Amino acid sequence: GGRSRFSPSALNTYLDCKLRFYFRYVAKLYSHDEVSVEMDAAMFGNILHRAMEILYENLTKKRKPAIVQPADFFTLRISVDGAIILAFRDYYHLPKNRKLVLEGRNLVMYEVMKDFIGKVIDHDESYAPFEIIALEGGSRQGYKLDYALQDGRKVGLKGIIDRIDRKNGKVRVI
């Protein structure tokens, strides 16, 4: 219902600094700089997640079941640049006939994303083979969950699932 829910970002803030969590999520106090940094982080996260979705969607869209094999990682690695560019285009709603020029902050984000995605791909390669069940959890609106604590109280959680995969009968929610 109307209960407040914690996002993964809120939980990370709590674990990192309880006082910052209180000011941001309980007292709802933000400094101007903090808001702009959060918007940059949100933009980075949105573009990064979209690039990852594009990579794995393109790889598995014609496969039933959508198994990612160790041999697929060469293709994934050479597709990273194009996936990031498509994700930037999606984020800025650019039509196909409009040229995209990355400069300044966006160019820095692009380079950091390439490095980050490379590390995710390295990790995924060490985990392969695995089956992709869903990307972005099938819902960009996100999921809501009430999690019961040991003392019986419930905590509301919310968030968008990046990927659900399965290996050896075990399902992972990422």
Side-chain angles (χ1 to χ4, degrees):
R3 169 192 296 174
S4 293
R5 295 183 180 273
F6 296 107
S7 67
S9 298
L11 290 174
N12 283 334
T13 301
Y14 180 80
L15 294 171
D16 185 45
C17 178
K18 290 171 182 60
L19 187 59
R20 187 177 330 131
F21 173 86
Y22 172 79
F23 286 132
R24 185 177 300 160
Y25 295 101
V26 178
K28 308 264 190 230
L29 298 174
Y30 297 89
S31 73
H32 175 71
D33 292 339
E34 191 174 278
V35 172
S36 97
V37 167
E38 283 186 8
M39 287 193 308
D40 288 347
M43 180 177 126
F44 180 90
N46 287 336
I47 294 170
L48 174 71
H49 287 287
R50 179 65 182 128
M52 292 299 302
E53 182 183 18
I54 289 166
L55 280 171
Y56 281 98
E57 197 173 68
N58 286 341
L59 181 71
T60 62
K61 65 183 167 192
K62 294 181 181 166
R63 297 181 184 179
K64 299 295 180 223
I67 306 286
V68 177
Q69 299 288 348
D72 292 325
F73 288 89
F74 175 79
T75 301
L76 283 171
R77 282 188 178 88
I78 63 172
S79 303
V80 169
D81 289 333
I84 295 172
I85 295 299
L86 282 173
F88 267 99
R89 295 184 79 76
D90 284 357
Y91 184 82
Y92 287 113
H93 306 289
L94 292 177
K96 290 181 182 179
N97 62 348
R98 183 141 177 232
K99 186 176 180 182
L100 173 66
V101 178
L102 295 176
E103 53 192 17
R105 181 181 65 170
N106 286 343
L107 184 57
V108 171
M109 276 200 280
Y110 171 83
E111 292 298 330
V112 172
M113 274 182 215
K114 275 177 47 175
D115 185 55
F116 189 86
I117 289 172
K119 288 181 172 126
V120 171
I121 289 172
D122 289 345
H123 180 269
D124 283 352
E125 184 175 24
S126 71
Y127 185 69
F130 57 88
E131 177 187 2
I132 293 183
I133 298 170
L135 294 169
E136 295 296 327
S139 171
R140 289 192 183 275
Q141 287 74 44
Y143 289 96
K144 294 178 181 174
L145 168 75
D146 290 326
Y147 182 78
L149 301 175
Q150 289 180 342
D151 66 6
R153 292 181 297 160
K154 290 186 178 179
V155 175
L157 303 173
K158 65 180 178 182
I160 295 174
I161 294 170
D162 298 322
R163 182 173 90 200
I164 302 172
D165 64 36
R166 176 176 30 225
K167 178 176 180 158
N168 299 331
K170 291 185 180 178
V171 174
R172 292 189 316 171
V173 177
I174 302 170

